[in-house]
Amino acid sequence: MNKTSLLEVSRILLVAFFAAALASCSGTTKVESDMGLKDVPDWVNKGTNILNNKDGRLFHGVASAKPLADAPLQKSVADDRARAEVARILTSYLEVVSDDYVSAVRADGQSVSEESISRQIKATTKVNLRGARIIANWRDSNSGIIYSLCELDMDHVKSTVAKTEEMDAGLKNYFRRKGNDIFDRVVEEIK
């Protein structure tokens, strides 16, 4: 097997792993229910996911917090956990983008520092989380558990990446050109 074929196989395996990992803990817009809870908002049952629908390309993080004596603190805990879920799936998505980029660069016979790209992905995730917002909360009246839904729009991610000066110019350009296609491919693979 030549070097290009090996890189392509590695990329396919990574995408398959990402899709399996994301599918194991999330749903897509076609999933009726992952958790099987009754009388809850759809987003609670769907859980953390990456989706492309009429509202755009979105990263959704869903999390909960058990009852606490301090209700605002309980909501804050659920919100923070939902943001952490968005960070997790955004990082996974950006790793797929960076792996595709590294494979493309190497296929052209160029070299690239994977460590540098990895650091840039982590920094980009942190900056993008500033655009993540809590769009829904729901409290289960029986258990007292509160659920939070955090959303991050792909347009915000693209805008942030475009403004990031520390990012490798080639990766930034690759993301601008291919980011939506990779997003759509990942959504299709986890359906």
Side-chain angles (χ1 to χ4, degrees), residues 27-135:
T28 64
T29 55
K30 290 186 177 182
V31 173
E32 287 182 28
S33 174
D34 281 343
M35 297 173 53
L37 300 174
K38 298 199 183 311
D39 301 323
V40 302
D42 287 342
W43 58 267
V44 171
N45 274 328
K46 289 178 183 176
T48 297
N49 61 46
I50 177 174
L51 59 126
N52 186 354
N53 63 23
K54 64 179 177 50
D55 297 323
R57 291 177 177 90
L58 306 169
F59 298 93
H60 275 183
V62 176
S64 64
K66 292 182 179 179
L68 298 172
D70 184 346
L73 177 61
Q74 180 190 8
K75 180 186 175 302
S76 180
V77 168
D79 291 352
D80 287 347
R81 289 176 178 170
R83 285 185 190 93
E85 284 293 297
V86 168
R88 184 181 59 78
I89 61 173
L90 176 62
T91 298
S92 295
Y93 163 74
L94 290 173
E95 286 172 356
V96 171
V97 171
S98 69
D99 289 341
D100 281 9
Y101 170 68
V102 168
S103 294
V105 167
R106 289 192 175 150
D108 287 342
Q110 301 172 28
S111 65
V112 63
S113 168
E114 289 184 55
E115 282 183 31
S116 173
I117 298 295
S118 179
R119 282 191 302 273
Q120 293 170 30
I121 293 300
K122 287 178 184 172
T124 301
T125 298
K126 287 179 185 175
V127 170
N128 271 300
L129 286 179
R130 293 183 195 137
R133 58 193 179 92
I134 302 299
I135 62 169

Side-chain angles (χ1 to χ4, degrees), residues 93 96-97 100-101 174 178-187:
Y93 163 74
V96 171
V97 171
D100 281 9
Y101 170 68
Y174 186 83
K178 304 281 187 170
N180 284 346
D181 294 338
I182 295 169
F183 186 100
D184 294 344
R185 184 181 79 213
V186 170
V187 169

